[in-house]
Amino acid sequence: QVQLVESGGGLVQAGGSLRLSCAASGRTFSSYAVGWFRQSTGKEREFVAAITWSGGATRYADSVRGRFTISRDSAKVTVYLQMDSLKPEDTAVYYCATGIDSLATTGYRYWGQGTQVTVSS
């Protein structure tokens, strides 16, 4: 079992930046890829970004490409989502997830509790 804890959410003005962190405990990330997802009120959860276990490959949703950057530390126990040029439509609860071996947008087995990101206009 992998436990994930997200942090770093908050309130920011449009155009600002935030960095989210996802820390793993228990089995840690093992050799899994890690993804970030978000869900805003009244909408379905959507894929944001993912990174392989090695950190050598990444994948982004079209809506965030060029503004968000996913990375992981060398110890591979924390994954980050750097969010720049934030827009009000980025407002959502952000979740990290793991438990798969690829950069897929579905099929993740382990999920964190989420962290709220609010972007004011």
Side-chain angles (χ1 to χ4, degrees):
Q1 190 77 353
V2 180
Q3 290 81 44
L4 303 177
V5 178
E6 303 95 336
S7 61
L11 173 63
V12 64
Q13 289 188 331
S17 298
L18 282 174
R19 188 176 81 158
L20 305 183
S21 298
C22 174
S25 61
R27 288 181 55 191
T28 72
F29 290 118
S30 185
S31 62
Y32 297 137
V34 178
W36 282 97
F37 294 76
R38 66 186 182 187
Q39 186 169 22
S40 53
T41 303
K43 295 185 178 181
E44 294 186 353
R45 186 171 58 198
E46 63 175 350
F47 170 81
V48 175
I51 189 167
T52 55
W53 175 78
S54 68
T58 57
R59 179 177 182 176
Y60 296 93
D62 290 342
S63 59
V64 306
R65 186 176 293 110
R67 299 189 298 121
F68 291 10
T69 303
I70 189 171
S71 62
R72 63 196 310 167
D73 68 339
S74 58
K76 297 182 173 57
V77 294
T78 305
V79 172
Y80 306 99
L81 185 68
Q82 177 68 40
M83 305 186 296
D84 299 317
S85 302
L86 282 162
K87 304 175 182 179
E89 50 264 45
D90 295 319
T91 295
V93 177
Y94 283 71
Y95 301 89
C96 67
T98 191
I100 64 170
D101 298 323
S102 69
L103 295 178
T105 61
T106 60
Y108 290 76
R109 286 185 283 172
Y110 308 110
W111 293 81
Q113 294 301 306
T115 185
Q116 176 70 47
V117 171
T118 303
V119 184
S120 63
S121 58

